[in-house]
Amino acid sequence: MSKNTFRDGIFDGKVLFITGGRTGIGYDIAKNMMQLGANAVIVGRDAEGLAKSAANLEREAGNGKKCIAAAADVRDKNQVRAAVSKTLEAFGKIDFVVCAAAGNFLVPIDGLSENGFKTVIDIDLLGTYNTIKATLHPLRETQGAYIHISATLHYRGTPYQPHVSAAKAGIDALSNVLAVEEGPRGIRSNVIAPGPIGETEGMKRLGTKGYDPRSVIPLGRQGYKQEISDAAVFLFSDAGKYITGQTLVVDGGHRHLTHASLPYPMMVLEPEKVKAMFQGKL
């Protein structure tokens, strides 16, 4: 994938605040935005890993743009607020916010504990809420924009994903309310819902063993992380300035073929077969 999908420098002078930016899709969004001129702050719990990722992002951007590591647990509102204060001290403003922090594991409803359910809700949904609350006033100053990384799991009954499905559905709803309430102040809020994206932790855990993408994805392949980050760039760019309250699904048409290609719902009645189907641990 080329990094030159968009014109160089379109985000010069802009500041990105991104949770979950240490690895995966979040990292790729930060890289793409920095290569196009933005400075960035990446947020996550692993301080040492964040510092390494921030240094790598500056190196990969190759244009003198800065990336700051702000260690914070998105479940703790005070830690998120401290990360926002660190951003404002360094750059004086925030233009764009990406909520990409997430947690996941495979488990049926019958085996899902209240604590396990709450953990994922707290990371995904409460973490998104905490991030919105901490960044809302700075974004009002810049008439900035939010992007929330969701999923397509809750568009159907995806087995062994009850906690994540509930959390992502809540994120979608929260983004819509944010778009309506803050639109008059110039703030936009949108969701990107990735489908099967190769080389991500999600696919390592949720991908089925030996499956042929052509059997479940009309475009015949898994997506690339850059295709998600390019979607984020589009929504943050001037081309997306009249788009708010939307969910941009980037899945190659996967959701339209899944019912025909995977044995739902009968497979969930035979847990041993489900365990054999998924790559991740149960």
Side-chain angles (χ1 to χ4, degrees):
M1 296 285 294
S2 170
K3 72 175 185 179
N4 297 317
T5 304
F6 300 92
R7 177 174 54 82
D8 288 342
I10 61 173
F11 295 129
D12 280 348
K14 302 296 186 180
V15 177
L16 168 70
F17 182 93
I18 177 168
T19 66
R22 184 177 67 85
T23 61
I25 287 172
Y27 182 96
D28 217 69
I29 291 174
K31 180 175 71 173
N32 207 348
M33 295 286 290
M34 289 179 66
Q35 288 174 339
L36 294 169
N39 292 306
V41 175
I42 57 173
V43 180
R45 288 179 288 173
D46 181 355
E48 183 178 350
L50 278 175
K52 291 179 180 178
S53 292
N56 288 336
L57 284 166
E58 289 185 350
R59 177 180 54 79
E60 291 187 71
N63 54 8
K65 298 303 175 182
K66 299 297 182 182
C67 183
I68 291 176
D73 186 333
V74 295
R75 296 172 292 183
D76 186 325
K77 65 180 181 181
N78 292 323
Q79 292 186 33
V80 179
R81 289 173 181 171
V84 169
S85 294
K86 186 173 184 178
T87 304
L88 296 176
E89 290 172 6
F91 299 120
K93 64 171 185 172
I94 299 173
D95 297 281
F96 306 120
V97 174
V98 175
C99 298
N104 196 2
F105 52 91
L106 290 165
V107 63
I109 292 176
D110 184 51
L112 178 60
S113 69
E114 291 85 353
N115 185 62
F117 183 84
K118 185 177 183 298
T119 296
V120 171
I121 293 293
D122 284 353
I123 295 172
D124 289 44
L125 182 54
L126 180 62
T128 296
Y129 168 80
N130 286 339
T131 303
I132 290 170
K133 290 283 285 187
T135 57
L136 188 56
H137 288 284
L139 252 66
R140 285 176 178 173
E141 294 294 324
T142 59
Q143 294 191 323
Y146 290 93
I147 289 175
H148 314 279
I149 304 301
S150 184
T152 60
L153 300 168
H154 54 292
Y155 297 164
R156 62 190 190 278
T158 302
Y160 289 66
Q161 291 288 273
H163 44 346
V164 183
S165 296
K168 297 303 188 183
I171 288 170
D172 292 359
L174 185 59
S175 176
N176 289 342
V177 173
L178 182 62
V180 172
E181 289 190 0
E182 293 298 320
R185 296 184 176 92
I187 290 177
R188 296 183 297 112
S189 180
N190 292 292
V191 169
I192 295 176
I197 306 300
E199 300 180 351
T200 61
E201 187 63 26
M203 279 307 299
K204 290 177 183 177
R205 295 186 181 190
L206 303 180
T208 53
K209 297 175 182 177
Y211 89 103
D212 183 350
R214 292 172 296 182
S215 69
V216 292
I217 303 173
L219 290 184
R221 63 171 176 85
Q222 294 180 359
Y224 301 108
K225 287 183 289 185
Q226 186 173 336
E227 289 172 318
I228 306 301
S229 66
D230 280 348
V233 169
F234 165 70
L235 289 173
F236 281 149
S237 73
D238 287 347
K241 279 198 169 180
Y242 201 56
I243 300 174
T244 194
Q246 302 300 312
T247 297
L248 178 56
V249 178
V250 186
D251 75 342
H254 174 254
R255 65 201 182 282
H256 297 304
L257 280 186
T258 299
H259 276 303
S261 304
L262 290 180
Y264 299 162
M266 293 306 297
M267 282 292 289
V268 303
L269 302 180
E270 302 178 70
E272 291 306 316
K273 290 186 178 180
V274 175
K275 289 180 181 180
M277 181 175 69
F278 285 107
Q279 296 177 149
K281 294 181 179 180
L282 292 177

